[in-house]
Amino acid sequence: MWERGVGPGQLNPNGKAKSQSRKRRLKDFSVAVVIISHNYGEFLGEAIESVLAQTYQSQEILVVDDRSTDNTREIALAYQQQGVKYLSVDVGNVHAARGAGFKATNCDITCFLDADDKLSADYIENGLEQFDHYQVAVVYSDTKFFGKRQGCSNYPEKYSADKLQYDNFIHAGSLVLSEAIQISRVFEKQFDPLLTQGDWFLWREVLGRTWTAKKQKSLYLYRIHQSNWTQKMQEAKQRSYFEYAGLAYQKITLFIPLSGRADHWPQTAQFLEQQSWPHDQISLILMDTSQSDAFSKTIKDWIQDCDYSDVRYLKFDAGFSGLADENRRLPDIRDQVRIAMARIYNRMAKMIDTEFVWILEDDITPPKDVCQQLLSGFDFETVSVAAPYPSRFYEGFVVWNQAGTFHEKPGYKQEVVGGNGFGCTILRTSSIRGNVFTALHEIPDFDIAFYQRLKTSDLLAKVDWSCISQHSGAMEPNDMKPKQSSKTDCECASPGWCERHQCKKHPHFHKLCQTRTDYFELWEKGAGPGQNLQQATDISVESSEPGLMRKAFNFTKAVARHVTNGSKHVDEATYNARLSTCQTCEMCNSSRMVCKHKQCGCTLKVKALWESERCPLKKWADNSENSSENQDTKELVGKK
């Protein structure tokens, strides 16, 4: 009977399989609420009460006390009779404290509640309803702010793994499948929570690309006060996006297409052995297109002895043997190379399982620390950062600006560009996932077409001029650098920013620096004209704050805009992104968080909160303009 599906209880009286009721489904889950406290005794009671008042009772409530010197312990023990447990740890780190709490509990679902926050009464019950598929690992919600600031976030209704890689929209108090935490091993990794956004790191590691998340309707109640973690992060020393996003802990894919250049392989092998990014944080893919048994054996022998733990080797027939070094000025060869490159990178796109892919072509040799340098160039808007290298076919670099003109001379540090060759480039994998690399369609050359399509988005491509790389058969980068002055040691190629002397030199002073030893020595001592002043940027701005009358006028206009806009506030992610941008801006007094621009003079913690406000320098993400210029792609393609 059971084999036929008609055993007792197997079918309901109507002949249809029984479906679990909503109530029964919820009962299948056991829930642990882990409350993290560091000197939050004054708020802890409210947090515990909000858990005890839930419409769905959790099986475990644990207070993790991390180095508290207030009454946290006494408050927690006062709730022992109601099933609240207490754990004291000495880690001084909210991520490690959460890990200790997770280890001390044993439930299907875990909720990490900060002791200064609260849960709405039906938060757990409504959250559990969203665990309706085995792939759902996290259930998040909007946050309602209370305390020193009121408002409500507006996080995406539908989860996107790609969006989560750019910035966080999942708060720490989300419900999470405990199995997903165990599989991810996220609590085995440690970082400084004052530099790295711990919630973001936690959910990126837990979810990866294997699990998914859903949003529930109940609200997480987030208290705004002077000593919460968000405030502490803002007051901590200036953070880069590299630190904020925890990129130092990323595992990335290093993809190297090998065309069979046996004479250049020793340099590539040496670079792989000596490059400084942790080898255990690299997934190495070596694609052998050589069609040479001898070359293949050389590569396999190297793999046997290398210290990379995650290496994939594959043979791939992209074109005829030796095609990479044929004369590309011949139309037929040029088109075959284009098609072969499109085949290679479309095959690569199917293999990437990390959030960043580092492409290194087999005739490029970059600096040994290039990986960290390029990753340091990413921010909320950047999709690609490359190391420039000289061309084999013309005098200049395989880097072009927005107008399609190639760079003949090196630029300054990190620079937004129109595009670059893929020779040594790190890309967000989301930019190629679902994309197609084309060879001859509309715009020839896969890389030019890729960056041309990128312009339809708000995302940016950059190059880092401090990472100029060698290109086999091309003019050596050192030959392209500006020569030192014959009279002084000045290395500047033209007026503008001087990296050596950390100031901006106008044509008159640039000439003096090159020709007069006494002026050059002044800058060497840090006493050159204008060297001790804040330098002007390419945008004409004032270096000091506007006066009180101007501030009052600007503030009045801002209030009027805010009221007209319905006194709307931005969500927490946008608010934090704005402040993070301001902290790296030359117009920001970071100690007082005041903008010094003549059209502003505002307290940034207020201005960044108002939806109606805009950055006068147009640096905030919501103020970026999607301006598409007419590109002369024919010239670009022809020159490349």
Side-chain angles (χ1 to χ4, degrees):
M1 290 178 67
W2 271 290
E3 287 289 281
R4 297 197 308 271
V6 293
Q10 220 167 346
L11 296 175
N12 64 20
N14 296 325
K16 296 180 180 180
K18 290 184 178 180
S19 60
Q20 289 182 319
S21 68
R22 168 179 172 274
K23 190 172 182 181
R24 178 66 180 272
R25 185 168 69 248
L26 294 180
K27 283 186 176 179
D28 289 341
F29 293 112
S30 59
V31 180
V33 179
V34 179
I35 305 175
I36 309 299
S37 179
H38 170 68
N39 288 334
Y40 281 169
E42 61 178 313
F43 309 124
L44 179 58
E46 293 181 58
I48 295 175
E49 293 285 354
S50 75
V51 179
L52 294 173
Q54 290 293 301
T55 56
Y56 183 92
Q57 290 298 309
S58 54
Q59 282 65 40
E60 293 185 74
I61 304 174
L62 174 66
V63 175
V64 180
D65 180 1
D66 184 11
R67 294 183 180 177
S68 294
T69 56
D70 63 357
N71 61 343
T72 291
R73 182 176 184 276
E74 289 74 16
I75 297 295
L77 294 179
Y79 287 91
Q80 271 188 325
Q81 295 298 320
Q82 293 163 273
V84 177
K85 298 179 182 178
Y86 174 80
L87 174 66
S88 177
V89 297
D90 184 15
V91 290
N93 183 306
V94 66
H95 180 73
R98 286 172 184 159
F102 177 75
K103 187 177 181 180
T105 56
N106 185 28
C107 288
D108 301 322
I109 305 293
T110 302
C111 175
F112 297 110
L113 173 63
D114 290 342
D116 54 340
D117 298 335
K118 298 187 292 184
L119 304 179
S120 54
D122 54 359
Y123 182 82
I124 293 179
E125 181 175 7
N126 287 337
L128 291 181
E129 288 183 352
Q130 301 304 314
F131 287 96
D132 55 1
H133 191 276
Y134 79 96
Q135 285 182 293
V136 178
V138 175
V139 173
Y140 64 99
S141 72
D142 280 323
T143 56
K144 183 177 181 180
F145 306 120
F146 69 102
K148 294 188 70 175
R149 175 163 66 91
Q150 283 73 45
C152 188
S153 67
N154 185 25
Y155 296 138
E157 292 298 318
K158 188 174 181 180
Y159 170 72
S160 167
D162 288 344
K163 286 183 178 178
L164 189 64
Q165 295 306 315
Y166 284 88
D167 200 2
N168 188 41
F169 54 84
I170 303 181
H171 58 76
S174 302
L175 299 176
V176 54
L177 195 66
S178 299
E179 178 189 4
I181 293 179
Q182 290 175 321
I183 291 174
S184 72
R185 308 175 78 168
V186 62
F187 289 122
E188 295 179 17
K189 299 180 180 180
Q190 296 300 317
F191 54 84
D192 185 348
L194 285 177
L195 295 179
T196 297
Q197 224 284 1
D199 305 349
W200 189 15
F201 181 87
L202 173 65
W203 303 129
R204 290 205 323 266
E205 290 291 313
V206 168
L207 288 163
R209 290 280 172 177
T210 52
W211 302 92
T212 189
K214 294 184 71 175
K215 186 178 180 181
Q216 63 149 310
K217 61 184 178 181
S218 296
L219 297 174
Y220 181 86
L221 308 179
Y222 187 89
R223 188 190 304 267
I224 304 295
H225 61 97
Q226 195 63 31
S227 57
N228 61 11
W229 271 108
T230 300
Q231 186 69 26
K232 289 178 180 178
M233 287 189 74
Q234 292 169 1
E235 294 173 354
K237 63 182 181 179
Q238 197 175 75
R239 305 181 314 281
S240 64
Y241 182 86
F242 180 84
E243 294 170 321
Y244 181 78
L247 298 187
Y249 312 99
Q250 282 277 356
K251 184 170 184 177
I252 69 171
T253 297
L254 172 52
F255 175 78
I256 306 179
L258 299 167
S259 62
R261 294 183 173 111
D263 56 337
H264 198 271
W265 166 250
Q267 286 178 255
T268 302
Q270 184 181 38
F271 172 78
L272 287 171
E273 292 158 7
Q274 297 179 356
Q275 69 85 22
S276 61
W277 192 255
H279 293 192
D280 60 350
Q281 288 178 220
I282 284 182
S283 176
L284 178 61
I285 299 178
L286 299 174
M287 177 185 282
D288 183 359
T289 67
S290 68
Q291 302 176 45
S292 165
D293 292 338
F295 183 77
S296 298
K297 184 178 184 306
T298 300
I299 304 303
K300 291 177 181 178
D301 289 345
W302 179 86
I303 292 173
Q304 290 291 332
D305 298 328
C306 77
D307 63 348
Y308 289 85
S309 57
D310 182 0
V311 184
R312 281 171 281 178
Y313 170 84
L314 73 154
K315 290 185 176 182
F316 184 69
D317 183 4
F320 66 79
S321 180
L323 173 62
D325 292 320
E326 290 290 328
N327 184 1
R328 300 187 190 184
R329 297 191 184 278
L330 300 176
D332 181 57
I333 296 297
R334 181 182 61 216
D335 288 347
Q336 289 194 57
V337 169
R338 288 170 172 169
I339 292 173
M341 298 305 289
R343 286 172 179 159
I344 287 169
Y345 286 110
N346 281 318
R347 181 69 180 89
M348 175 203 74
K350 298 177 182 179
M351 304 175 67
I352 310 303
D353 57 6
T354 58
E355 296 305 328
F356 290 89
V357 55
W358 172 14
I359 297 169
L360 179 64
E361 295 185 345
D362 65 349
D363 57 351
I364 303 294
T365 306
K368 294 180 178 61
D369 62 346
V370 68
C371 184
Q372 179 161 335
Q373 292 298 321
L374 297 186
L375 283 174
S376 298
F378 281 88
D379 54 32
F380 298 102
E381 300 174 309
T382 300
V383 74
S384 161
V385 184
Y389 55 92
S391 171
R392 288 204 301 256
F393 305 109
Y394 56 87
E395 186 174 342
F397 291 88
V398 190
V399 176
W400 54 92
N401 61 23
Q402 299 292 345
T405 304
F406 281 83
H407 287 250
E408 295 183 359
K409 295 293 182 182
Y412 169 65
K413 287 193 173 179
Q414 292 169 357
E415 179 181 0
V416 176
V417 295
N420 53 263
F422 268 30
C424 182
T425 304
I426 295 184
L427 295 158
R428 289 186 187 272
T429 308
S430 58
S431 67
I432 61 175
R433 194 174 279 117
N435 210 332
V436 176
F437 290 99
T438 56
L440 303 173
H441 177 70
E442 293 182 349
I443 303 173
D445 287 325
F446 74 98
D447 43 6
I448 296 177
F450 173 82
Y451 285 109
Q452 191 73 6
R453 292 166 191 149
L454 185 66
K455 292 176 183 176
T456 62
S457 70
D458 293 328
L459 301 175
L460 305 176
K462 296 179 181 176
V463 295
D464 188 334
W465 290 103
S466 67
C467 298
I468 293 177
S469 305
Q470 295 177 349
H471 187 188
S472 178
M475 183 183 294
E476 288 298 316
N478 287 334
D479 297 336
M480 305 181 70
K481 292 181 179 178
K483 304 298 183 182
Q484 285 189 344
S485 165
S486 59
K487 295 187 177 181
T488 69
D489 290 331
C490 179
E491 299 174 351
C492 299
S494 61
W497 179 263
C498 176
E499 172 65 18
R500 178 168 182 163
H501 296 142
Q502 294 296 303
C503 63
K504 189 170 184 177
K505 294 176 184 168
H506 298 290
H508 173 68
F509 288 118
H510 168 66
K511 183 176 180 180
L512 291 175
C513 185
Q514 283 199 318
T515 58
R516 288 185 53 172
T517 305
D518 54 341
Y519 269 84
F520 181 80
E521 289 175 351
L522 279 173
W523 273 293
E524 288 288 275
K525 293 185 293 187
Q531 196 171 4
N532 59 342
L533 302 177
Q534 180 176 353
Q535 303 303 317
T537 61
D538 291 336
I539 302 172
S540 178
V541 293
E542 295 179 359
S543 61
S544 59
E545 292 180 29
L548 289 175
M549 292 297 292
R550 182 69 186 185
K551 281 186 178 182
F553 178 71
N554 290 344
F555 182 70
T556 302
K557 290 200 301 182
V559 171
R561 287 193 299 268
H562 182 54
V563 173
T564 304
N565 194 45
S567 301
K568 294 180 182 177
H569 293 82
V570 298
D571 57 65
E572 184 185 4
T574 302
Y575 177 72
N576 291 333
R578 287 179 169 186
L579 288 183
S580 178
T581 300
C582 291
Q583 285 177 326
T584 61
C585 178
E586 66 280 353
M587 284 289 100
C588 175
N589 184 326
S590 56
S591 61
R592 295 167 50 226
M593 285 306 291
V594 171
C595 179
K596 297 186 289 186
H597 195 280
K598 65 180 179 180
Q599 295 178 12
C600 185
C602 305
T603 300
L604 291 167
K605 291 181 181 178
V606 175
K607 178 173 182 175
L609 180 61
W610 292 354
E611 187 184 79
S612 58
E613 287 307 286
R614 297 291 182 266
C615 169
L617 295 177
K618 299 185 178 183
K619 289 190 175 183
W620 286 350
D622 58 354
N623 197 42
S624 60
E625 299 179 358
N626 185 14
S627 58
S628 58
E629 301 177 3
N630 293 326
Q631 307 296 331
D632 187 1
T633 56
K634 291 183 179 179
E635 177 187 348
L636 181 60
V637 170
K639 205 167 185 182
K640 184 175 183 297

